[in-house]
Amino acid sequence: SPSRLQQDRAQRDDQGAKGRRMALVDTLILLTGLLLLLGIASSKLSARLGLPVLVLFLVLGMLAGEEGIGGIAFDNYGLAHGIGTLALAIILFDGGLGTPVTAVRAVWRPALLLASVGVLGTALVTGLAAAWILRLSLLEGLLLGSIVGSTDAAAVFSILRHGGITLSKRLAATLEVESASNDPMAIFLTIGCIELLTGRMALGPGLLGLFVSQMLLGVLVGLAMGYFAVRVVNRINLDAAGLYPVLVTAFGLLTFGLASWMGGSGFLAVYLAGIVIGNRRLVFQRGIRLFHDASAWLAQIVMFVVLGLLSFPSRLIAVGVQGLLIGVVLILVARPVVVALTLPWFRFNRRELLFLS
């Protein structure tokens, strides 16, 4: 009967759709495994070429993208933002686990000065240059400067801890603590510029309140959750030792989410929680550290490959000259000026100031 034929056709179509979805999932798993293998292989290549490994992860993503040899079409910026946020939270948490509290005590003043006033100064100088080079309004230029004004925690941790370089503990700790704590200022400046550009907020107490809440709530939630996590991990009796690293990860993600939900900086909170947890005796401590070191590497590979997938070489070429000019100002003018104005009071010698710049 016609109704029976229609039912059979609908059933075949449904089975075909399920088959295509399964084939898509299988393909995604295959591509993910392949990209991870290539990412790990590129880490070996980076040591021979002298390039930061994260640059090669980025290039790998571009090669796998729509305009590369992989031909993967990906332009989901919302998904990329989610992946990047999760990855950076994991990287900062691992960075906190590996940061001795003695190092933080020794460098917290210069590091926090760079993470606040330094980011502000870098954003101002770079923003003025961007406004002139790109012929933007001053506020639009400052928005661009705010976005690129902070150093990248993933890159700093990767180079200092896995790049095979040896620095004084004070110098390395200053760079690590600054990089992990500068996100609140960068986020504050970026959101502030967007609010001013869209007319939803004016200069005044509203912007100041945003900054204070980001910093204060991030610190309070991070420290509180760190101490709470230590008590729980050491008192709970889990049957499987492999669950302890997962439990610590859960507390790290909970810290980030809780701080963000309350209006604070999740990035600052998760880094501080990592410092608290990493400087206390824990059950299965070595396994926890190894697990999170591996998680941080995986997060770096995924984050920079995804950023590479979002990069279209044809579009980059069109703005390459202007982008490089802004980069030159950022690297050779803005940051050296900021370091020269803020850090001479902390007894860094000229070579250390130049390296910090």
Side-chain angles (χ1 to χ4, degrees):
S1 63
S3 59
R4 180 63 178 175
L5 290 174
Q6 290 176 353
Q7 290 177 0
D8 291 342
R9 187 179 298 111
Q11 187 176 8
R12 287 195 300 271
D13 292 342
D14 184 57
Q15 291 175 348
K18 288 181 180 179
R20 287 191 294 271
R21 286 196 295 270
M22 291 179 64
L24 177 61
V25 171
D26 294 343
T27 303
L28 287 175
I29 293 174
L30 173 64
L31 291 174
T32 300
L34 181 60
L35 289 175
L36 287 176
L37 284 175
L38 291 174
I40 294 170
S42 66
S43 68
K44 296 290 292 183
L45 180 62
S46 72
R48 297 185 178 183
L49 297 179
L51 285 173
V53 65
L54 302 185
V55 174
L56 294 184
F57 294 159
L58 190 67
V59 172
L60 175 62
M62 295 176 70
L63 289 174
E66 189 172 357
E67 295 184 351
I69 57 177
I72 300 174
F74 181 77
D75 60 355
N76 191 329
Y77 292 91
L79 178 60
H81 171 262
I83 292 173
T85 300
L86 175 61
L88 186 54
I90 293 172
I91 293 165
L92 287 173
F93 188 56
D94 175 68
L97 290 173
T99 301
V101 71
T102 53
V104 177
R105 289 172 181 166
V107 303
W108 70 270
R109 286 179 294 178
L112 290 186
L113 191 62
L114 279 178
S116 54
V117 177
V119 173
L120 175 61
T122 302
L124 288 173
V125 175
T126 308
L128 291 173
W132 180 71
I133 292 171
L134 299 176
R135 297 181 181 179
L136 302 173
S137 69
L138 180 59
L139 196 54
E140 289 172 328
L142 291 177
L143 173 60
L144 195 152
S146 300
I147 292 170
V148 301
S150 62
T151 54
D152 182 75
V156 171
F157 286 140
S158 175
I159 292 171
L160 294 184
R161 297 187 178 185
H162 308 289
I165 62 175
T166 302
L167 299 173
S168 69
K169 291 183 178 179
R170 183 169 180 253
L171 190 61
T174 300
L175 288 167
E176 288 189 9
V177 175
E178 183 277 332
S179 182
S181 58
N182 60 24
D183 287 295
M185 175 58 82
I187 292 171
F188 160 71
L189 292 174
T190 301
I191 293 176
C193 287
I194 292 173
E195 294 292 301
L196 293 174
L197 278 169
T198 56
R200 291 182 295 192
M201 186 179 294
L203 285 172
L207 286 175
L208 180 61
L210 175 66
F211 175 70
V212 172
S213 66
Q214 284 274 307
M215 294 293 290
L216 184 60
L217 290 173
V219 170
L220 292 177
V221 173
L223 295 178
M225 289 298 295
Y227 285 112
F228 179 65
V230 171
R231 292 178 65 87
V232 172
V233 171
N234 285 335
R235 292 193 176 191
I236 195 171
N237 187 18
L238 296 175
D239 295 330
L243 288 177
Y244 284 100
V246 180
L247 177 62
V248 173
T249 301
F251 274 111
L253 298 178
L254 183 62
T255 300
F256 179 91
L258 183 61
S260 300
W261 177 72
M262 294 176 64
S265 171
F267 296 116
L268 180 59
V270 77
Y271 178 65
L272 291 176
I275 292 176
V276 173
I277 296 170
N279 285 275
R280 296 291 187 277
R281 289 189 176 274
L282 293 175
V283 177
F284 201 56
Q285 191 163 25
R286 177 171 171 77
I288 290 171
R289 291 295 303 276
L290 289 173
F291 176 85
H292 285 91
D293 185 57
S295 298
W297 270 109
L298 178 62
Q300 290 179 54
I301 294 174
V302 171
M303 179 168 66
F304 281 87
V305 168
V306 169
L307 290 175
L309 288 172
L310 279 178
S311 301
F312 296 87
S314 61
R315 300 179 190 176
L316 297 180
I317 292 173
V319 294
V321 175
Q322 297 98 315
L324 289 174
L325 284 175
I326 295 171
V328 167
V329 173
L330 170 67
I331 297 168
L332 301 181
V333 180
R335 288 202 169 120
V337 167
V338 165
V339 169
L341 293 177
T342 57
L343 292 192
W345 324 105
F346 296 100
R347 292 178 298 177
F348 288 102
N349 60 44
R350 290 185 178 180
R351 294 176 65 186
E352 289 174 329
L353 290 175
L354 180 61
F355 186 82
L356 286 165
S357 299

